[in-house]
């Protein structure tokens, strides 16, 4: 028996790929989003090459305005703002992607298990998920940082746990629908193990709404990390992150406006790009869900 | 309806109990000993033990939980572990009007922007206006609220000097001073909310406008105004109201961040300062009150939805 996924007879996945490309050709916002996001990803990866200065190197050139030597100026400790923002890109994108990967792994597993097994397993899992659902993700993340403390790993765990309920609910509702499909019956009849049925046959067919949710979650995760860092609840102060750079510059915005403008602009451009991409995917993959 | 209200009410109380219990036990997992940190400069092991005994921290976790819970039910949330040990209830009582003022004003600002924006972009679908509104909504959703707050301070407080950059004046001391201090933070918080509501109104209106009963109403010769405000808008608002519940939560989490930018000592500022200072009782109390606001505003939205759409009550 091959490991190929059992799917509905009219398997739409090859069609899905071409539909993505066709809709992309007519979607200027999505094109903008993909290009800007790619530029930021490159900026993050090549930050050590692109940055002219060490992001934490203090100089006597304090709060210097925009110039050829410092294209985005310097902060109150004479650190080059552009270099700090470039390094901040690494942290923001890393946190955005890793938190969503973790949230997706935990949430989708919980949702699949709850939906497939039903009964008391479903009840226990969903009672908890519903409890968490009653609160905004950011507040959950703040609560968890209150418990775990600050730092890179704690922030990643806090934000990803805050997103678990979103993925669990989607995976569960997809599983409930797919459980009754004939090809899942076929997998059962063939005597496949339950994990194999769940992960090899149900999951790939539930993937579209999960992709859309994961995409928009990356933007929420980046906003969440920036907000936590801004409040002093994020990664430690020696790591330049966009939220932290804004927090550092906040007291000096009346003398040095660039400290208040550019780090936030970076956050907004990345989040906007991801939102554009998410919107395109939602239309192209034909996923109907709530606005937030 | 009464049974539905009762069921939802009991559900909300259970959620609050679960939150209170989770918060109590999870905060005890925090690494580090706040009492030792607090007395680091002034006391040795005896003082630390004495302080723990005074605060009841030397007893078993379950006894502490029972005591804390029964005290909390009587409105006693303990006292801040710092300074003159101000009771948590007092700190929170001072913070609540600030956060509520801020959230309500953000709500009003957001609706005032979202309603016309949503209606205009639905009635002029795919025109330049519609595209502009949709683009602005995307911007609003993508801007971090604390960054918008900083931009507003740079423009309206630092450069134009029209409005104050920090602080809060109670409503009792005059409407204008109150409004002047809250308008910038309220815009910072309300923008994302208004973007969500505008998008929701647009898509909901488009669906209603293409329905059969709207065609019937049009063929009866109703004016566009009567069509919009008599038939389309009331029906289009049903899904919008459910989203408002979720979006109200967004306002509160916005307030948690933005209060810190404008140095307004509301619930968010109290919560964050508590966390930064490891002030357990304050953090516990703030989390409980913030959570209660969510749970009961969700409840109100659900009940409201039940009134508007009677089908809901049956489920």
């Amino acid at each position: 028996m091959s490991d190929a996924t059992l799917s509905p007879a009219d398997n739409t996945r090859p069609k899905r790929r071409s539909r993505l490309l066709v809709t992309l050709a007519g979607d200027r916002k999505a094109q903008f989003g993909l290009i800007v996001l790619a530029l930021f990803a490159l900026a993050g990866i090549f930050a050590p090459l692109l940055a002219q200065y060490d992001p934490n190197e203090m100089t006597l050139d304090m709060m210097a305005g925009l110039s050829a030597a410092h294209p985005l100026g310097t902060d109150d400790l004479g650190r080059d703002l552009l270099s700090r923002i470039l390094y901040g890109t690494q942290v923001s994108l890393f946190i955005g992607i890793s938190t969503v990967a973790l949230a997706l792994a935990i949430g989708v597993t919980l949702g699949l298990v709850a939906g497939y097994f039903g009964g008391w397993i479903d009840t226990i899992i969903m009672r908890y998920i519903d409890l968490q659902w009653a609160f905004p993700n950011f507040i959950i993340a703040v609560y968890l940082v209150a418990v775990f403390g600050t730092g890179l790993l704690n922030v990643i765990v806090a934000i990803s746990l805050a997103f678990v309920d979103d993925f669990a609910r989607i995976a569960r509702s997809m599983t409930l629908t797919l459980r009754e499909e004939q090809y899942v019956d076929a997998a059962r009849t063939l005597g496949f193990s339950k994990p194999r049925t769940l992960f090899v046959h149900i999951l790939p067919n539930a993937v579209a709404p999960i992709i859309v949710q994961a995409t928009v979650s990356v933007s929420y995760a980046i906003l969440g990390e920036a907000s936590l860092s801004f409040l002093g609840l994020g990664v430690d102060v020696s790591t330049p992150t966009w939220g932290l750079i804004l927090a550092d510059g906040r007291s000096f915005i009346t003398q040095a406006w660039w400290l208040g403008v550019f780090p936030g602009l970076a956050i907004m451009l990345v989040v906007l790009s991801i939102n554009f991409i998410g919107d395109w995917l939602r239309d192209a993959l034909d996923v109907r869900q709530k606005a937030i | 309806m009464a049974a539905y209200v009762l069921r939802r009410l009991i559900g909300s109380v259970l959620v609050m109990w679960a939150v209170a219990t989770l918060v109590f036990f999870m905060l005890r997992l925090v690494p580090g000993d706040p009492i030792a940190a607090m007395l680091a400069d002034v006391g040795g092991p005896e003082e630390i033990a004495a302080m723990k005994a005074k605060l009841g921290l030397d007893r078993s976790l379950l006894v502490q939980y029972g005591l804390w819970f029964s005290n909390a039910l009587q409105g006693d949330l303990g006292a801040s572990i710092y300074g003159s040990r101000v009771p948590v209830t007092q700190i929170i009582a001072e913070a609540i009007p600030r956060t509520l003022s801020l959230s309500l004003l953000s709500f009003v600002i957001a609706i005032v922007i979202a309603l016309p924006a949503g209606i205009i972009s639905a009635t002029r679908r795919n025109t330049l206006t519609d595209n502009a509104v949709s683009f602005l909504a995307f911007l609003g959703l993508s801007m971090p609220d604390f960054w918008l707050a900083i931009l507003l301070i740079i423009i309206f407080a630092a450069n134009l000097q029209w409005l104050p950059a920090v602080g809060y004046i109670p409503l009792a001391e005059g409407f204008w001073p109150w409004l002047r201090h809250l308008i910038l933070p309220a815009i910072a918080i309300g923008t994302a909310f208004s973007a969500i509501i505008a998008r929701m109104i647009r898509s909901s209106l488009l669906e209603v406008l293409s329905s059969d009963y709207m065609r019937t109403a049009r063929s009866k010769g109703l004016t566009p105004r009567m069509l919009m405000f008599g038939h389309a808008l009331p029906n289009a608002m049903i899904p919008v109201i459910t989203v408002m519940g979720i979006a109200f939560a967004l306002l509160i989490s916005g307030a948690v961040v933005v209060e810190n930018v404008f140095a307004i000592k509301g619930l968010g500022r109290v919560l964050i300062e508590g966390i930064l200072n490891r002030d357990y009782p304050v953090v516990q109390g703030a989390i409980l009150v913030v959570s209660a606001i969510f749970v009961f505003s969700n409840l109100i939205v659900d009940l409201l939805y039940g009134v508007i759409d009677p089908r809901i009550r049956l489920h």
Side-chain angles (χ1 to χ4, degrees), chain A residues 143 250 260-261 272 275 292, chain B residues 26 138 142 147 246 260 287 291:
Chain A
Y143 289 0
R250 179 170 56 160
V261 171
L272 184 67
N275 284 341
I292 42 170
Chain B
M26 286 187 81
F138 263 115
S142 307
W147 182 54
I246 305 163
N260 286 279
I287 289 183
S291 305

Side-chain angles (χ1 to χ4, degrees), chain B residues 125-143:
Chain B
R125 190 182 182 182
N126 294 334
T127 61
L128 195 64
T129 327
D130 181 23
N131 287 335
V133 169
S134 140
F135 185 74
L136 285 177
F138 263 115
L139 275 190
L141 274 178
S142 307
M143 245 191 264

Side-chain angles (χ1 to χ4, degrees), chain A residues 9 22 53 60 63 75 77 82 136 149 164 176 194 199-200 205 227 229 242-243 262 275 278:
Chain A
V22 170
Y53 304 88
L60 291 175
M63 287 198 263
D75 69 2
L77 299 174
L82 177 62
V164 158
L176 286 179
K194 280 176 176 167
F199 288 99
V200 182
N205 288 299
S227 306
S229 291
W242 292 337
F262 294 119
N275 284 341

